[in-house]
Amino acid sequence: MRHEFTREQYEALLLRYRNWGRWGPEDEIGTANLVDAASVARAAALVRTGKVYSLALPFDRNGPQTGRGRTGRVNIQHYMARDGGDIAADAGDLPHFDGTDDLVQLYLQAGTQWDALAHVFWGTEMYNARTTADVTSAGAAHNAVTGLADRAVGRGVLLDVARWSGVDWLEPGHAIDTDDLERCAAAHGVEVGPGDFVLIRTGQLAQVRARGAWEDYAGGDAPGLSVDAAHFLCGRDVAAVACDTWGLDVRPHESGLVAPLHVVLLVNAGIHIGEMWDLEVLAADCAADGRYDFFLSAPPLTITGAVGSPLNPIAVR
Amino acid sequence: MRHEFTREQYEALLLRYRNWGRWGPEDEIGTANLVDAASVARAAALVRTGKVYSLALPFDRNGPQTGRGRTGRVNIQHYMARDGGDIAADAGDLPHFDGTDDLVQLYLQAGTQWDALAHVFWGTEMYNARTTADVTSAGAAHNAVTGLADRAVGRGVLLDVARWSGVDWLEPGHAIDTDDLERCAAAHGVEVGPGDFVLIRTGQLAQVRARGAWEDYAGGDAPGLSVDAAHFLCGRDVAAVACDTWGLDVRPHESGLVAPLHVVLLVNAGIHIGEMWDLEVLAADCAADGRYDFFLSAPPLTITGAVGSPLNPIAVR
Amino acid sequence: MRHEFTREQYEALLLRYRNWGRWGPEDEIGTANLVDAASVARAAALVRTGKVYSLALPFDRNGPQTGRGRTGRVNIQHYMARDGGDIAADAGDLPHFDGTDDLVQLYLQAGTQWDALAHVFWGTEMYNARTTADVTSAGAAHNAVTGLADRAVGRGVLLDVARWSGVDWLEPGHAIDTDDLERCAAAHGVEVGPGDFVLIRTGQLAQVRARGAWEDYAGGDAPGLSVDAAHFLCGRDVAAVACDTWGLDVRPHESGLVAPLHVVLLVNAGIHIGEMWDLEVLAADCAADGRYDFFLSAPPLTITGAVGSPLNPIAVR
Amino acid sequence: MRHEFTREQYEALLLRYRNWGRWGPEDEIGTANLVDAASVARAAALVRTGKVYSLALPFDRNGPQTGRGRTGRVNIQHYMARDGGDIAADAGDLPHFDGTDDLVQLYLQAGTQWDALAHVFWGTEMYNARTTADVTSAGAAHNAVTGLADRAVGRGVLLDVARWSGVDWLEPGHAIDTDDLERCAAAHGVEVGPGDFVLIRTGQLAQVRARGAWEDYAGGDAPGLSVDAAHFLCGRDVAAVACDTWGLDVRPHESGLVAPLHVVLLVNAGIHIGEMWDLEVLAADCAADGRYDFFLSAPPLTITGAVGSPLNPIAVR
């Protein structure tokens, strides 16, 4: 359900889950600190069948972005610097080596992605008391997505809220709160704890596919998490949370704020957010055998100073 | 050692290891077909300590590319569509949400990467009898890198040829052949078999770091694999091979051919090639405890039609 | 009015106005050969008041492109590599020099532009018997837009067909033919002859501004030239023709062909085409004093191998 | 000759030629205000032969940029979104329309260009008391290059300092001062006055061509203008000044300052600067007949918010 907070209540929540200084004044990765070798080894032990799931949407011109919005985010643009036609033209009589080459223009948050902790500010502050001065045209000097380079590996837990709710997809505006997450986890028979990667399925991608069009998936009304879900996520010290929507927060946003859960997680708790992860096939298989935790490998690209990163998250069951 | 082939010998080699049709006329992934759930499950069981290794170089302007060469490949260019200065300017009195946003121009083979099977042609043909007509300005209709989306996971095996040879790095022009690989694997106490991901360390990145400059790492003379290594790689049906150099093949190339091993592997055998993987830390730890196989998760980005992909390969020991 | 041609009639028209070989086998600029120093000097003598008109639309994200279509043409994207926020952050106590820097991604035909002769093919042929082999991923080896570098200067003549027709704008589908152009020119009191740059106003930009939205300006139904206008343009040997629509040819296209006038002009006659030129202010002033010819300077950017170019055309009356 | 200024002398110079407020508090174009219809008409009357000169360098990968420096400025990158190979592949039996399409990534100051007044700051201030807050990641809200859209037309005057000095080119470090400019103009028999566009030739492009390599043309030592040249340019109220070097200011810079003349001109006087203009052919012809003034049309692209613009300047004699 949706929750409305007063400004005072909201600011109290921000402080309640603030992890600034918890891992020292130089920390840039927040609760990803809770991922360690032991937790990774335990996660690897969850592999039973060895079935691999790619949780990435295709990156192409048919993606969800519209070019609208303040930064004009567009879908990936892919160009060939050398293609088959060029090779055919240079083929000559005797076969020889030739190669194709390509490049992209890519908004780092145009598709399946991680938000870095440097992606969101509350006023002029971001995670661990870093400020706007730390993100210039040269990129993020601190809290960049590269902090996750070898940390986005561990135990994944799927909370399939849509299926648990008995629907193909949650409707736009539907807010998932802590009570929902707790009951869903209980129904799934999984515990969520420190250093886990929680994947939350609203089913919105099923809806997109059913209607055959993205429509306003990017930036329109959407199902998502209530600010109240902070109690679940921060209280359990999850390493990160990812979902199948464009923006994690339920839309319309609650309490007249913009993306209020983003501020709790990214700015205060230091919990990374994944968006536009495709959980459809994984969720069907989890439902089939009732196992909702698995090994997850979801590293960002190591783009220096980036405030987000495209990725191809891999789950192994 | 370097090997010289006559044109006839070379063409016979191409045919000897040609896997066209082996997995049907529609196949686009070659020996990655040998990765299956069982092999992934076995690979996961290799995890002991849970230590995670990111095998990616940083993606930034200080990378190895020079802009020279036929396609003008340059290092990644990273731009902020909205940065901290913009947020500070809009801050106002009352703290509120604000966000940064960024984008890149990225040659898909500018840094740590996979070559797709569509990256290389012999004459006008590529893997599985596909032709130049299959790679247009719109991208690769077949043999794109997305074929690996959920297949680049499994058992990784490091062959640290430099360390086994007793040197910090192999010198440019030093060719690694099948005999070297067999003896190195034996010394490491590992077997290499079908569906494995073989990572070969020449130490060239150690050399780059020792001299503090890329110099001609991209496109200059380099240590690497002899064409003769095809017997090891194709004979064992490895899923893919990756290395720490710009181009895998030893340079200067052997036999007056251009990248002759690329043609054996990508065009004929359907064995994907990874390049510019940073194996330094992983290699040191393998040497420390003598375990040279591990779990590897190395998915490409799911860029439709791409002939290569940047990635952040993850090894877990 | 609209004209319908049979395939045979159309092919006869192509041959009738074909200028291949007229300026030798190496020619790459077609009727722009008819621009010479004498014609430029005469054009300069047309300047009376000295009033300058910029005929370019703004290049920004609010342009007409939609990203749809085969090549995914999007509006210009402009990024700051260094902005004021960066400078403020580095300001220090003592004033010193600092600079901003910016870049764009720009489809060369995204806004006010020239089509090069290499932009259009009929089958596998383009102007002067050049073929598809002449335009590779490396650009156009022949018939590139740079041929106009010092040739797009001379006498401009405005034919304000909308105003002459007594309307604010011509409706989509309205076709302008040779009879219209002749009568309009007569009404304006101007002759059109060899080496002239003819600017044809449909008023569609007035319509766009009246409705406050581009809607389907790019690629939708539009007023424009009938194939029949070839008699006027080719018969008079104009150097080039430009208009205020996205695509010059009336849309829906005539005769079940795609952009049939483009093929006559670019492929056969060697007459360059300008599109999305903003003629509104110029047209009002021409109407005010009844003078419809002027000095025009409309050079393309000198982008090697380009098949189109953005520009800021300048008229001086 | 080179001139050395104390900080106090330099700051006095800045104030001496400061035009802030001269054309009102909203002005964004500085001395380009002195270009008016009458001056344009007079300039058009300078056309005698009608010979046209394109003053642009080619825009391609072989340009002068190196990718080094704070903003990583690289040469233009040109890609085909659809090329001849694609068209050939789709040709079919019956000829039909098909088209090529292309795009660029272009640093706006990578080649022949205008610096906007928003390109340079002194401390946190730019022309007419605008500040760093006016140039965000969204571009320049004020003093953008679009101010010149219809103002960069008028009388051009070439001062061929190299030829006047009796050399093929001035050597790096050679500073041109007011005394040089006055004597050169006198030798050429031209007066320079308000609203003129002054083109200054050092011959450095001749040197580049003679040696067949750009070497450190971009950012290395170069001939250019002394700060002392401000007396000539500002004292005569020129509309703009352009040159054939990468950075106008002599390099090494004088007085331990960075680009000190840039600050006088762009920040204080509101005089636009053109760089990397190719004056070689124009200069030879001026020398041949002794006429050093001409009609100039040098409009920037109308890129909203841009702090610079590529262009193809046109001189007509």
Side-chain angles (χ1 to χ4, degrees):
Chain A
M1 61 171 281
R2 297 176 66 87
H3 294 251
E4 297 299 319
F5 286 70
T6 64
R7 177 94 189 182
E8 290 68 30
Q9 289 171 324
Y10 181 61
E11 293 187 341
L13 186 75
L14 297 182
L15 293 177
R16 176 172 173 186
Y17 291 120
R18 178 169 285 186
N19 282 325
W20 298 10
R22 179 172 167 190
W23 296 281
E26 300 303 317
D27 180 58
E28 305 193 1
I29 61 172
T31 57
N33 281 292
L34 301 173
V35 177
D36 59 18
S39 72
V40 173
R42 285 193 302 271
L46 295 172
V47 172
R48 307 270 177 85
T49 63
K51 184 166 176 187
V52 173
Y53 302 79
S54 163
L55 307 180
L57 295 169
F59 284 82
D60 57 34
R61 288 180 193 279
N62 303 121
Q65 303 296 336
T66 62
R68 288 191 291 271
R70 188 168 52 184
T71 61
R73 231 183 258 168
V74 291
N75 290 309
I76 192 171
Q77 296 171 62
H78 176 231
Y79 305 109
M80 299 302 299
R82 186 165 175 86
D83 66 12
D86 304 316
I87 292 174
D90 291 346
D93 292 333
L94 199 62
H96 60 273
F97 169 97
D98 211 333
T100 57
D101 207 12
D102 52 358
L103 70 148
V104 293
Q105 186 202 282
L106 174 56
Y107 273 81
L108 296 179
Q109 304 186 21
T112 302
Q113 53 111 348
W114 280 122
D115 285 346
L117 299 185
H119 172 51
V120 168
F121 283 81
W122 178 249
T124 57
E125 291 187 316
M126 62 171 166
Y127 175 70
N128 218 10
R130 300 291 186 181
T131 70
T132 47
D134 290 314
V135 187
T136 68
S137 294
H142 297 287
N143 297 344
V145 80
T146 48
L148 285 187
D150 59 1
R151 291 285 187 151
V153 178
R155 179 180 183 242
V157 179
L158 175 70
L159 298 182
D160 186 348
V161 181
R163 192 172 261 106
W164 166 73
S165 301
V167 298
D168 288 337
W169 54 77
L170 302 174
E171 293 297 329
H174 184 107
I176 300 166
D177 62 13
T178 286
D179 183 59
D180 293 326
L181 294 173
E182 287 179 342
R183 291 194 294 142
C184 178
H188 287 353
V190 281
E191 295 284 336
V192 172
D196 283 348
F197 294 81
V198 180
L199 280 48
I200 297 175
R201 179 176 174 269
T202 69
Q204 199 185 10
L205 287 174
Q207 184 186 29
V208 164
R209 285 166 183 150
R211 72 188 177 210
W214 288 107
E215 293 183 4
D216 63 351
Y217 174 85
D221 287 352
L225 295 191
S226 167
V227 173
D228 178 80
H231 300 306
F232 184 92
L233 298 169
C234 303
R236 278 165 179 75
D237 263 342
V238 303
V241 57
C243 64
D244 56 356
T245 66
W246 177 79
L248 187 69
D249 274 85
V250 64
R251 294 175 71 100
H253 291 133
E254 297 165 326
S255 307
L257 294 161
V258 176
L261 187 60
H262 269 64
V263 178
V264 180
L265 299 181
L266 294 175
V267 177
N268 290 278
I271 295 177
H272 285 80
I273 297 175
E275 289 161 342
M276 296 184 265
W277 291 33
D278 186 351
L279 307 173
E280 293 304 296
V281 176
L282 174 66
D285 281 12
C286 289
D289 67 6
R291 289 191 300 118
Y292 282 87
D293 57 353
F294 39 82
F295 179 80
L296 181 78
S297 178
L301 292 183
T302 50
I303 302 173
T304 306
V307 301
S309 179
L311 80 156
N312 179 359
I314 294 293
V316 190
R317 298 180 77 243
Chain B
M1 63 171 279
R2 297 177 66 87
H3 293 251
E4 298 299 319
F5 285 71
T6 65
R7 177 94 190 182
E8 291 66 32
Q9 290 172 322
Y10 181 62
E11 292 186 342
L13 186 75
L14 296 182
L15 293 176
R16 174 173 174 187
Y17 291 121
R18 178 169 286 187
N19 282 323
W20 298 8
R22 179 172 168 190
W23 296 280
E26 300 303 318
D27 179 58
E28 304 193 0
I29 61 172
T31 56
N33 281 292
L34 301 172
V35 178
D36 60 17
S39 73
V40 173
R42 284 194 302 272
L46 295 172
V47 173
R48 306 271 177 85
T49 64
K51 184 166 175 187
V52 173
Y53 302 79
S54 163
L55 307 180
L57 295 169
F59 283 83
D60 57 35
R61 288 181 193 278
N62 303 119
Q65 304 296 334
T66 62
R68 289 190 290 271
R70 190 169 49 183
T71 61
R73 229 183 260 168
V74 291
N75 290 309
I76 193 172
Q77 296 170 63
H78 176 231
Y79 305 110
M80 299 302 300
R82 186 164 175 85
D83 66 11
D86 304 316
I87 292 174
D90 292 346
D93 291 333
L94 200 63
H96 60 273
F97 170 98
D98 210 333
T100 57
D101 208 13
D102 52 359
L103 68 149
V104 293
Q105 186 203 283
L106 174 57
Y107 273 82
L108 297 178
Q109 303 185 25
T112 302
Q113 54 112 346
W114 281 122
D115 284 347
L117 299 184
H119 172 51
V120 167
F121 283 81
W122 178 249
T124 58
E125 290 186 317
M126 61 170 167
Y127 175 70
N128 218 11
R130 302 292 186 180
T131 69
T132 47
D134 289 314
V135 187
T136 67
S137 294
H142 297 288
N143 297 344
V145 81
T146 48
L148 285 188
D150 59 1
R151 290 287 186 150
V153 178
R155 179 181 182 243
V157 179
L158 175 71
L159 298 181
D160 186 348
V161 181
R163 191 172 262 106
W164 166 74
S165 301
V167 297
D168 288 335
W169 55 79
L170 302 173
E171 292 298 330
H174 183 109
I176 300 166
D177 63 13
T178 285
D179 183 59
D180 294 325
L181 294 173
E182 288 180 340
R183 291 195 293 142
C184 178
H188 288 353
V190 282
E191 296 284 336
V192 172
D196 285 347
F197 294 81
V198 180
L199 280 48
I200 297 175
R201 178 174 175 270
T202 69
Q204 199 185 11
L205 287 175
Q207 184 185 30
V208 164
R209 286 166 183 151
R211 71 187 177 211
W214 288 108
E215 292 183 4
D216 65 350
Y217 175 86
D221 287 351
L225 294 191
S226 166
V227 172
D228 177 81
H231 299 305
F232 183 92
L233 298 169
C234 304
R236 279 166 178 74
D237 263 342
V238 302
V241 57
C243 64
D244 55 358
T245 66
W246 177 80
L248 188 71
D249 274 86
V250 64
R251 294 175 70 100
H253 291 134
E254 298 165 325
S255 306
L257 294 161
V258 176
L261 186 60
H262 269 64
V263 178
V264 180
L265 299 182
L266 294 175
V267 177
N268 291 278
I271 295 178
H272 286 79
I273 297 175
E275 290 159 343
M276 295 184 266
W277 291 32
D278 186 351
L279 308 174
E280 293 303 297
V281 176
L282 174 67
D285 281 11
C286 288
D289 67 7
R291 290 190 299 118
Y292 281 87
D293 57 353
F294 39 83
F295 179 80
L296 181 78
S297 178
L301 291 184
T302 51
I303 302 173
T304 306
V307 301
S309 179
L311 80 155
N312 178 359
I314 294 293
V316 190
R317 299 181 76 241
Chain C
M1 62 171 280
R2 297 177 66 87
H3 294 251
E4 297 299 319
F5 285 71
T6 65
R7 177 94 189 182
E8 291 67 32
Q9 289 172 322
Y10 181 63
E11 293 188 340
L13 186 75
L14 297 181
L15 293 177
R16 175 173 173 186
Y17 291 121
R18 178 169 285 187
N19 282 324
W20 298 8
R22 179 173 167 189
W23 296 281
E26 301 302 318
D27 179 57
E28 304 193 1
I29 61 172
T31 57
N33 281 291
L34 301 172
V35 177
D36 59 17
S39 73
V40 172
R42 285 194 302 273
L46 295 172
V47 173
R48 307 273 176 84
T49 63
K51 185 166 176 186
V52 173
Y53 302 80
S54 163
L55 307 181
L57 294 169
F59 283 83
D60 58 34
R61 287 180 193 278
N62 303 121
Q65 303 297 336
T66 62
R68 288 191 291 271
R70 188 168 51 184
T71 62
R73 230 183 259 168
V74 291
N75 290 309
I76 192 172
Q77 295 171 62
H78 176 231
Y79 304 110
M80 299 302 300
R82 185 166 175 84
D83 66 12
D86 304 317
I87 292 174
D90 291 346
D93 291 333
L94 199 62
H96 59 274
F97 169 97
D98 210 332
T100 57
D101 208 13
D102 51 358
L103 69 149
V104 293
Q105 187 203 282
L106 175 57
Y107 273 82
L108 297 179
Q109 303 186 23
T112 303
Q113 53 110 347
W114 281 121
D115 283 348
L117 299 185
H119 172 52
V120 168
F121 283 80
W122 179 249
T124 57
E125 291 186 317
M126 60 170 168
Y127 175 70
N128 217 10
R130 301 292 186 181
T131 70
T132 47
D134 289 314
V135 187
T136 68
S137 294
H142 296 287
N143 297 344
V145 81
T146 48
L148 285 187
D150 59 1
R151 290 287 186 149
V153 177
R155 179 182 182 240
V157 178
L158 176 70
L159 298 180
D160 186 348
V161 181
R163 192 172 262 108
W164 166 73
S165 300
V167 298
D168 288 337
W169 54 77
L170 301 174
E171 292 298 331
H174 183 107
I176 300 166
D177 62 13
T178 285
D179 182 59
D180 292 325
L181 294 173
E182 288 179 340
R183 291 195 293 142
C184 178
H188 287 353
V190 282
E191 296 283 337
V192 171
D196 284 347
F197 294 82
V198 180
L199 281 48
I200 298 175
R201 179 175 173 267
T202 69
Q204 198 184 12
L205 288 175
Q207 184 185 29
V208 165
R209 286 166 183 152
R211 71 188 178 210
W214 288 106
E215 293 182 5
D216 64 351
Y217 175 85
D221 288 352
L225 295 190
S226 167
V227 172
D228 177 81
H231 300 305
F232 183 93
L233 298 168
C234 303
R236 278 165 179 75
D237 263 342
V238 302
V241 57
C243 63
D244 56 357
T245 66
W246 178 80
L248 187 71
D249 273 86
V250 65
R251 294 176 69 101
H253 292 133
E254 297 166 328
S255 307
L257 294 161
V258 176
L261 186 60
H262 269 66
V263 178
V264 180
L265 299 181
L266 294 175
V267 177
N268 291 277
I271 295 178
H272 285 79
I273 297 174
E275 289 160 343
M276 295 184 266
W277 292 32
D278 186 351
L279 307 174
E280 293 304 295
V281 176
L282 174 67
D285 281 11
C286 289
D289 66 7
R291 289 190 300 118
Y292 281 88
D293 57 353
F294 39 82
F295 179 80
L296 181 78
S297 178
L301 291 183
T302 51
I303 302 172
T304 305
V307 302
S309 179
L311 80 156
N312 179 0
I314 294 292
V316 190
R317 299 181 76 242
Chain D
M1 60 172 280
R2 297 177 65 88
H3 293 250
E4 297 300 319
F5 285 71
T6 65
R7 177 94 189 182
E8 290 68 31
Q9 289 171 323
Y10 181 62
E11 292 187 341
L13 187 75
L14 297 182
L15 292 177
R16 174 173 174 185
Y17 291 121
R18 178 169 286 187
N19 281 324
W20 298 9
R22 179 173 167 189
W23 297 280
E26 300 303 316
D27 180 58
E28 304 193 0
I29 61 172
T31 56
N33 280 291
L34 301 173
V35 178
D36 60 18
S39 73
V40 173
R42 285 194 302 272
L46 296 172
V47 173
R48 306 272 175 85
T49 64
K51 184 165 176 186
V52 172
Y53 302 79
S54 163
L55 308 181
L57 295 169
F59 283 83
D60 57 34
R61 288 180 193 277
N62 303 120
Q65 303 297 336
T66 62
R68 288 191 291 272
R70 189 167 51 183
T71 61
R73 231 183 259 167
V74 291
N75 290 308
I76 192 171
Q77 296 171 61
H78 176 231
Y79 304 110
M80 299 303 299
R82 187 165 174 84
D83 67 11
D86 304 316
I87 292 174
D90 291 346
D93 291 333
L94 199 63
H96 59 274
F97 169 98
D98 210 332
T100 57
D101 208 13
D102 52 358
L103 69 149
V104 293
Q105 185 203 283
L106 175 56
Y107 273 81
L108 297 179
Q109 303 186 21
T112 302
Q113 53 111 350
W114 280 123
D115 284 346
L117 299 185
H119 172 51
V120 168
F121 283 80
W122 178 250
T124 58
E125 290 187 316
M126 62 170 166
Y127 176 70
N128 217 9
R130 301 292 186 181
T131 70
T132 47
D134 289 314
V135 187
T136 68
S137 293
H142 297 287
N143 297 343
V145 80
T146 49
L148 285 187
D150 59 2
R151 290 284 187 153
V153 178
R155 180 180 182 242
V157 179
L158 176 71
L159 298 181
D160 186 348
V161 181
R163 193 173 260 106
W164 166 73
S165 301
V167 297
D168 288 336
W169 53 79
L170 302 174
E171 292 298 330
H174 183 109
I176 300 166
D177 62 13
T178 286
D179 183 59
D180 293 325
L181 295 173
E182 288 180 341
R183 291 194 294 143
C184 178
H188 287 355
V190 282
E191 295 284 336
V192 172
D196 284 347
F197 294 81
V198 180
L199 280 49
I200 297 175
R201 179 175 175 268
T202 69
Q204 199 185 10
L205 287 174
Q207 185 186 29
V208 164
R209 285 166 184 153
R211 70 188 177 210
W214 287 107
E215 294 183 5
D216 63 352
Y217 175 84
D221 287 351
L225 294 191
S226 167
V227 173
D228 178 81
H231 299 305
F232 183 91
L233 298 169
C234 302
R236 279 165 178 74
D237 264 341
V238 303
V241 57
C243 63
D244 56 358
T245 67
W246 178 79
L248 187 71
D249 274 86
V250 63
R251 294 175 71 100
H253 291 134
E254 298 166 324
S255 307
L257 294 162
V258 176
L261 186 60
H262 269 66
V263 178
V264 180
L265 299 181
L266 294 174
V267 177
N268 289 279
I271 295 177
H272 286 79
I273 297 175
E275 290 160 343
M276 294 185 266
W277 291 33
D278 186 351
L279 307 173
E280 293 304 296
V281 177
L282 174 67
D285 281 11
C286 288
D289 66 8
R291 288 190 300 116
Y292 281 87
D293 57 353
F294 39 82
F295 179 79
L296 181 77
S297 178
L301 291 183
T302 51
I303 301 173
T304 305
V307 301
S309 179
L311 79 157
N312 179 359
I314 294 293
V316 190
R317 298 181 77 241

